[in-house]
């Protein structure tokens, strides 16, 4: 007991504040400004201690205000894990074995909305920025769907594009939405114009006929207006091992029919 | 002409090497080590010049070897955009208008493989690390599918889990795979055991019956063994605006039937 108190007293002087993670590693928690030399000494002592304790990964999140400590951490062997505008996360691997540190996010996700009204008209927009600017092309709303008052129904398809953005992959989900209002109020920052358009008029645009994904979006619109194309609909699923809430998206009709046929 | 030459000569002394991007911004290109004070002076001169030229975003990628320049960039008003193990990208917005800098990747993507053999048996594994370690649970292979010799057939379902990893979202795709070899060779690092198991034996595991997503995976296995559950299959699509190669995943049967019915 006495030995533990002594050890704790020593720790208080030399070691950085840290908590254990679930995978045998530690997470350094720094919030207040610190002199780089003081940080350097505490970091070296802490790494020695954690090595003796058999710790594996060492994580440190540096708020952008503590940018003066980044160089010190890197010189001690830390490398970058990921960054967001207000912080940089660095990581270090103590054991001699291969590191099992999980990778950073790899994908950006976008959505395109197929919104049909009761007159079989499609919601289309012209964009005021980006590659579509000034082309006069009427397209389905993409990426800004939160600006439109709709209810999500199902995922009809998705596309995968490799290495589109700093080596990350893009996933693009084409979704069926139900309009909740029919008087359109366009969002001015990115949308030049918005209107309801008949499917035939939409499909007759040369651009829609020419480009691969546009042609499929047009086919999906006709299929949904026709009635029976089955997409993937979501059900909430119970968590495993205390994971956060999830949704599973699948072809509900296809699954129910098959499983009841088999289980009966 | 003479004036231009003079201007260029001045530039050579004061400004950082940079190229224009497609969105009215500039990308600073640094590779060699640089003294932070020299970098500071050049950065300030460059920003003044780019402001006069009406430039918008300023990007700088700093290899981890140039970590000594990070603090200087942040003190001049740059913030973090993203990081990978070997570099940190910072960004600065010159105009007074709201910045339109695209966000970093937001999702991590995993996959789970349903692999059935000709005897209606499922490929199952026990994991040697992570939460499943030591539980004795036989599960479908996840995340390590490149280690198994299979051919991708279709996406049967996907789940979305919010905020699972440093605030990023996880997408998990449940895929149908065709086995290309039937003698299993397990990957030792993460897999404790691997075998072919009858669907009935797999489905009888208490864990499979208890947990939400496991129950749906079991239902999907039975549905596919039964024959007719339609998932999303990929087709390559032609690029728009010189984008990289993409694939579109959708219910091919559903789409073909519907569109031909409408177009005929």
């Amino acid at each position: 007991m006495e030995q533990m108190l002594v050890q704790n007293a020593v720790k208080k002087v030399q070691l950085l504040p840290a908590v254990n993670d679930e995978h045998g590693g530690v997470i350094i928690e720094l919030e207040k400004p610190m002199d780089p030399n003081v940080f350097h000494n505490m970091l070296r002592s802490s790494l020695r201690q954690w090595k003796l304790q058999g710790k594996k990964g060492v994580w440190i999140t540096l708020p952008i205000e503590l940018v003066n400590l980044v160089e010190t951490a890197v010189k001690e062997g830390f490398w970058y894990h990921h960054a967001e505008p207000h912080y940089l996360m660095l990581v270090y691997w103590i054991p001699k074995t291969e590191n099992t540190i999980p990778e950073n996010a790899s994908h950006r996700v976008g959505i395109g909305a197929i919104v049909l009204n009761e007159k079989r008209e499609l919601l289309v927009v012209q964009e005021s920025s980006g590659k579509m600017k000034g082309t006069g092309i009427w397209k389905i709303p993409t990426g800004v769907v939160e600006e439109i008052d709709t209810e999500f129904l199902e995922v009809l398809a998705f596309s995968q594009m490799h290495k589109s953005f700093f080596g990350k992959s893009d996933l693009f989900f084409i979704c069926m939405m139900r309009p909740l209002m029919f008087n359109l109020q366009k969002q001015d920052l990115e949308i030049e114009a918005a209107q309801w358009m008949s499917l035939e008029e939409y499909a007759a645009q040369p651009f829609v006929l020419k480009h691969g994904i546009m042609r499929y979006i047009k086919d999906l619109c006709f299929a949904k207006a026709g009635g029976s194309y089955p997409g993937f609909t979501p059900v909430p699923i119970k968590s495993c091992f205390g994971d956060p809430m999830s949704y599973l998206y699948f072809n509900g009709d296809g699954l129910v029919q098959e499983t009841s046929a088999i289980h009966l």
Side-chain angles (χ1 to χ4, degrees), chain A residues 14 29 34 54 56 60 66 106 113 157-158 168-169 172 176 182 185 187 200 203 209 232 238 244-245 256:
Chain A
Q14 295 184 324
E29 295 183 327
M34 190 181 276
K56 295 176 178 174
I60 182 164
L66 303 189
S106 58
F158 63 89
K168 307 289 186 181
S169 292
F172 178 74
M176 192 74 200
F182 298 91
Q185 269 189 308
Q187 178 251 38
E200 285 71 19
L209 295 171
F232 283 1
K238 267 189 264 172
M245 184 69 176
V256 171

Side-chain angles (χ1 to χ4, degrees), chain A residues 118-134:
Chain A
E118 78 287 2
K119 287 182 276 184
R120 207 168 158 275
E121 290 170 331
L122 181 68
L123 178 62
V124 289
V125 299
Q126 287 183 349
E127 289 182 352
S128 59
S129 66
K131 291 168 177 173
M132 294 281 203
K133 179 182 175 176

Side-chain angles (χ1 to χ4, degrees), chain A residues 14 25 54 58 64 109 193 198 204 209 231 238 241:
Chain A
Q14 295 184 324
V58 181
I64 197 163
V109 171
S198 78
L209 295 171
K238 267 189 264 172
F241 299 115

Side-chain angles (χ1 to χ4, degrees), chain A residues 35 51 76-77 79 92 100 102 112 124 128 133 141 149 152 155 163 165 170 178 192 198 219 241 245 253:
Chain A
D35 176 81
K51 191 174 179 179
E76 279 304 306
W79 65 89
Y92 180 78
T100 57
V124 289
S128 59
K133 179 182 175 176
D149 209 359
F152 173 84
V155 172
K163 307 276 173 191
F165 183 73
D170 269 4
R178 194 202 320 267
E192 186 68 35
S198 78
D219 287 346
F241 299 115
M245 184 69 176
D253 292 345

Side-chain angles (χ1 to χ4, degrees), chain A residues 27-171:
Chain A
I27 303 164
I28 300 172
E29 295 183 327
L30 290 185
E31 285 166 14
K32 290 182 186 161
M34 190 181 276
D35 176 81
N37 291 321
V38 173
F39 174 68
H40 191 198
N41 289 331
M42 290 176 81
L43 183 60
R44 295 186 73 159
S45 306
S46 303
L47 289 174
R48 263 198 304 272
Q49 173 84 9
W50 294 328
K51 191 174 179 179
L52 290 174
Q53 293 172 349
K55 296 294 183 193
K56 295 176 178 174
V58 181
W59 302 85
I60 182 164
T61 303
L62 290 176
I64 197 163
E65 294 77 19
L66 303 189
V67 64
N68 63 324
L69 306 182
V70 174
E71 187 176 355
T72 304
V74 169
K75 288 195 169 156
E76 279 304 306
F78 280 73
W79 65 89
Y80 304 139
H81 185 269
H82 73 282
E84 292 292 332
H86 297 295
Y87 74 86
L88 172 63
M89 181 170 255
L90 299 105
V91 67
Y92 180 78
W93 186 249
I94 294 177
K96 298 218 186 299
T97 58
E98 198 183 336
N99 92 59
T100 57
I101 287 165
E103 277 180 38
N104 189 9
S106 58
H107 286 65
R108 294 193 312 157
V109 171
I111 79 159
I114 294 181
V115 190
L116 290 168
N117 69 12
E118 78 287 2
K119 287 182 276 184
R120 207 168 158 275
E121 290 170 331
L122 181 68
L123 178 62
V124 289
V125 299
Q126 287 183 349
E127 289 182 352
S128 59
S129 66
K131 291 168 177 173
M132 294 281 203
K133 179 182 175 176
T135 59
I137 293 168
W138 291 99
K139 59 186 282 295
I140 63 170
T142 50
V144 294
V145 178
E146 61 206 281
E147 308 290 340
I148 302 162
D149 209 359
T150 55
E151 177 193 357
F152 173 84
L153 294 180
E154 58 179 334
V155 172
L156 302 180
F158 63 89
S159 74
Q160 184 186 25
M161 192 190 297
H162 285 301
K163 307 276 173 191
S164 72
F165 183 73
F166 301 126
K168 307 289 186 181
S169 292
D170 269 4
L171 284 169

